[in-house]
Amino acid sequence: MELKMRKDVPSALTWDLSLIYQSEADLRKDMEKLDGLGEYIAEEYQGKLTSPETINACLDHLRKLYHFMSLTGSYCELAVSVDYYDTHNQELSEEVSRLSAKVLSQISFVDTEIAAQEEETLKQAVLAATDNKNYLLDVLRNKPHKLTPETERALAALSPTIQSAPYQIYNMAKLADMKFAPFTANDTEYPLGYSLFEDNYEYEKDPSIRRNAFAAFSSKLREYENVTATAYNTQVQTEKTLATLRSFDSVFDSLLFPQKVSQELYHRQIDLITKELAPHMQRYARLLKKIHKLDRMTFADLKIAIDPEYDPKVTIEESKEYIINGLSVMGDDYVEMIKEAYRDRWVDFAQNQGKSTGGFCASPYGKNSFILLSWNDRMSDVFTLAHELGHAGHFKSCNESQSIFDVDVSTYFVEAPSTINELLMAHYLLKKNPDPRFRRWVLSCMIGNTYYHNFVTHLMEAAYQREVYRIVDGGGSVNAETLSRLMKETLQKFWGSEVEICDDAALTWMRQPHYYMGLYSYTYSAGLTIATQVCRRIEEEGAPAVADWKKALAAGSTLDPVGLAKMAGIDITTDKPLLDTIAHIGKMIDEIETLTEELS
């Protein structure tokens, strides 16, 4: 069925952005305040950040400025994300982006001037600070990588083009320009679109429909491979240039620096999963091939369900009961947040043309969260919503407990609060029904959705991305041919001879926006590793483990990922949590195989 235009979607299926601003006029009032505050900080403090008192007074105003920037930027970005055909919202978003760049340029002196002060002055400023303490410590940490004030000001002013343009070009090509013609399978014509393919046809049980959809989808992608590759190469070349300018040894060090993790943690995540998980997932691929009696196992077949006839349909209203019951272990306050999310329209469930694919959660400071997904009446949608509500619960705790300076949590940790919700949902379902077929279905959901998404899909992206950055770090560049080759080699290495990796599969590098977000893809598996171990603690210890976890959620960025995991009772400085998680995945596949034999 052809997707509706945004204007034709029932409002009940959409999020309510009036929870941020009632009208565009209200947005523009805050834009004026943001503009004025930027000018005030520049006039009042530039050249004067020489005492602990003045430094903290300036940072008090800076927190307010960041708050306005969070609200105005989020409002516009969210409006655009659900309808890339709406030119007014695009123009408004660009206007806010230009304003933010201007303001960031005006205040770029703040960090540079603070870092230039005597160490004793900075120590006194830290001692006198409350909400500004960690910000000041980060300024000191960033000091070796700061450029001259004039250069920092110029880079801030150019941020819409230097840092944002490649991602904007990628999204416009993908979500606005890319129009899909229908495809044919079994003498029947089917409509095709980005979300129709990724949310429906990838899971289609009929191999003719599924494979023909993949071929048609890939054919359209290939028409845009050069512009997409150029946008991505621009992104990585910019990151390499900035890393060099800021005196980092490599682009890896530069991109991991804000995450506050070492290259050791980064490489371990990719290397161990590629080596240790691959045999388990190859076994899972063989099982899918056997169950579905496939002539061969192709990349297009990897997301089909173990038991598609058993995949229950779930309405939006029915999902509420599942999620509330599944996540009730998190406490009454958490359940109340879930109810509020449904009641007050935090979630955009709609399927419409021009809407972003996948799912995400945005949490502007001081407001509720906003969750984007496309509802397809599948249990997998319930898991997706539980995942995004994990982000909402995390940032609700952060926003209520920390200043705006302390809510930018490291991406290494940020997927743990979301993926643990998927695991808690699965454990709830396993306890609810002992039927072997139901148990196999739940376990296969965990393998085929939660772990596949985070430990395979995003891990393959991370392994491919690492090879791209290695080329760039060595002074090279990438094009469409190179990117397809790297992706194909990455997939072939993981799946071995069990799965056919064709040239269409190689175009997978064109499908994800994560490459425009630094070293983000690998953090999905990092977060799920933490989540798996914390979930095990909750299952074994109950309330004390939940209490530790909620403390970690509220800590925000006051601790690095190692510290946050430690607060939750997990030591990620060793291989053990990751190896235990991979072993856990293997045991679940063992049980799925056993249950399949029993049910056959």
Side-chain angles (χ1 to χ4, degrees), residues 324-332 334-335 424 538 542-543 546 550:
I324 287 174
N325 290 336
L327 301 181
S328 61
V329 67
M330 291 293 290
D332 293 341
Y334 206 90
V335 168
L424 293 172
I538 291 174
V546 172
K550 293 174 86 167

Side-chain angles (χ1 to χ4, degrees), residues 132-258:
N132 303 328
K133 177 182 177 181
N134 290 300
Y135 186 94
L136 287 167
L137 293 174
D138 278 340
V139 169
L140 288 172
R141 181 171 175 264
N142 277 285
K143 187 173 181 176
H145 306 292
K146 276 292 174 184
L147 305 175
T148 65
E150 294 77 13
T151 306
E152 292 290 353
R153 191 179 307 117
L155 288 174
L158 288 168
S159 62
T161 47
I162 290 178
Q163 295 179 314
S164 302
Y167 183 44
Q168 291 173 347
I169 292 168
Y170 167 78
N171 270 331
M172 290 303 291
K174 173 181 175 179
L175 301 171
D177 288 348
M178 206 176 286
K179 304 291 196 303
F180 293 85
F183 70 96
T184 301
N186 304 323
D187 298 321
T188 302
E189 189 174 87
Y190 296 88
L192 183 62
Y194 228 107
S195 60
L196 276 175
F197 174 74
E198 293 194 335
D199 296 333
N200 289 280
Y201 295 128
E202 275 200 299
Y203 305 93
E204 168 61 48
K205 63 182 178 180
D206 186 318
S208 295
I209 298 174
R210 184 176 64 250
R211 292 173 179 176
N212 287 9
F214 180 61
F217 178 76
S218 301
S219 177
K220 177 57 65 174
L221 288 185
R222 189 168 282 106
E223 294 176 16
Y224 291 81
E225 63 180 349
N226 291 312
V227 67
T228 307
T230 301
Y232 182 41
N233 186 56
T234 302
Q235 173 77 23
V236 296
Q237 295 297 336
T238 300
E239 289 168 336
K240 172 57 178 174
T241 299
L242 290 172
T244 302
L245 285 173
R246 296 192 181 282
S247 302
F248 285 99
D249 292 335
S250 73
V251 69
F252 292 102
D253 291 323
S254 174
L255 295 174
L256 290 171
F257 186 80

Side-chain angles (χ1 to χ4, degrees), residues 34 116 119 137 189 216 264 291 302 342 361 450 457 467 487 509 590:
L34 174 60
E119 188 172 342
L137 293 174
E189 189 174 87
E264 180 187 359
I291 289 172
L302 285 169
Y342 279 93
C361 175
T450 300
T457 297
E467 297 310 308
M487 179 56 80
W509 64 268
D590 288 343

Side-chain angles (χ1 to χ4, degrees), residues 542-554:
V546 172
D548 287 345
W549 181 234
K550 293 174 86 167
K551 287 177 185 175
L553 296 183

Side-chain angles (χ1 to χ4, degrees), residues 282 491-501:
Q282 289 171 17
L491 293 172
Q492 287 173 330
K493 181 179 179 181
F494 186 83
W495 291 109
S497 61
E498 296 299 332
V499 181
E500 291 183 13
I501 305 298

Side-chain angles (χ1 to χ4, degrees), residues 301-313:
D301 303 320
L302 285 169
K303 291 191 177 180
I304 53 177
I306 284 283
D307 193 351
E309 302 298 333
Y310 199 73
D311 192 5
K313 295 294 183 182

